[in-house]
Amino acid sequence: PVTAAMCSETLVSLIEVPHDVITQKLQVQHAARSQGFQRSWRTPSRGVDAVRKVVAVHGWKSLYVGTRAHLLTSVPWSATWWGTYEGGKFALHGLCSLMNAHASDGTRAAICCRELSAHIATMTPVLAGMTAGLLAAVMANPIDVVKTRIQCQAHLKGQGIITVARNLVAREGPQALFKGLALAIMFDVLVSSTAGLRYELVTHWAAKTPLEKTPLATC
């Protein structure tokens, strides 16, 4: 999954980078006019118009400004997420097996232990996904900040990622690299809480394997 995620993120960047560039330019323009960026039924047409203007003035290459920074953000994010998710599943399944092995008798404590193990097994995709989202958000946030600066500020075009990061830290301090981290953690944890479950459901459906007979429901 880790290798597949890294390859897929690289391919998706061909579409995602231009989308980010145009979205951020529209947001900056509306901010300069003291107007909030609000999505409406006209948003797609404004995006197409923005693409035409950017290409006409700066060429097609301008749509891929910050591609290197984007890849340095998304590829490690995916690798961290999937590595943590699979590792979290393995650890939780191991914990369930250990709890079941020490709860083989009929005492009340053993029954409670087995019930707890069953609940953990059911929640494994959710717990592993939330942990993966947390670690991935913390890891990727500094690079994401630098990527956004490069894409939004024209005078940074052509400068290296390390150079931009150093100048940013020198001007605003190390905390500048973690701007928006709380929001990123909240978003990634919430999305990841269902991402693992959706992934497991889709893979089981694709394999045509009965859900009750898979590791999703049992340890």
Side-chain angles (χ1 to χ4, degrees):
V2 174
T3 303
M6 295 172 67
C7 293
S8 65
E9 284 292 344
T10 302
L11 293 176
V12 169
S13 66
L14 295 175
I15 299 176
E16 193 169 1
V17 172
H19 175 269
D20 284 348
V21 170
I22 297 303
T23 299
Q24 289 163 6
K25 285 184 180 295
L26 289 175
Q27 290 174 338
V28 170
Q29 289 175 1
H30 282 267
R33 299 172 186 170
S34 299
Q35 298 176 354
F37 179 73
Q38 298 180 351
R39 296 185 181 274
S40 67
W41 63 273
R42 294 182 178 179
T43 300
S45 62
R46 293 205 305 264
V48 173
D49 185 58
V51 171
R52 291 174 179 172
K53 290 180 179 179
V54 169
V55 172
V57 176
H58 303 290
W60 284 99
K61 290 184 179 180
S62 61
L63 294 176
Y64 291 93
V65 173
T67 298
R68 185 181 304 175
H70 176 85
L71 291 175
L72 286 176
T73 303
S74 60
V75 173
W77 188 97
S78 291
T80 301
W81 196 96
W82 284 103
T84 304
Y85 177 72
E86 293 296 336
K89 283 202 308 179
F90 180 82
L92 289 172
H93 287 157
L95 176 62
C96 290
S97 299
L98 183 63
M99 293 174 67
N100 289 332
H102 289 79
S104 56
D105 54 19
T107 62
R108 182 176 180 82
I111 294 175
C112 291
C113 189
R114 287 196 296 270
E115 290 179 352
L116 178 60
S117 174
H119 288 305
I120 293 176
T122 303
M123 294 294 292
T124 289
V126 176
L127 296 175
M130 293 176 68
T131 304
L134 172 64
L135 294 181
V138 173
M139 185 279 306
N141 196 82
I143 306 176
D144 189 54
V145 170
V146 175
K147 178 200 74 173
T148 303
R149 295 293 180 100
I150 293 175
Q151 290 178 331
C152 293
Q153 300 180 12
H155 68 277
L156 297 179
K157 184 178 180 180
Q159 295 188 24
I161 297 172
I162 296 179
T163 301
V164 174
R166 286 177 177 173
N167 293 336
L168 179 61
V169 171
R171 291 194 310 270
E172 304 179 27
Q175 66 273 15
L177 296 176
F178 294 95
K179 287 184 176 180
L181 178 59
L183 183 61
I185 290 176
M186 183 175 66
F187 177 80
D188 284 350
V189 168
L190 288 176
V191 172
S192 297
S193 65
T194 60
L197 183 60
R198 286 182 277 118
Y199 167 74
E200 297 295 338
L201 291 174
V202 170
T203 53
H204 292 310
W205 173 81
K208 296 182 179 180
T209 302
L211 187 61
E212 63 271 15
K213 297 181 180 179
T214 65
L216 179 63
T218 62
C219 285

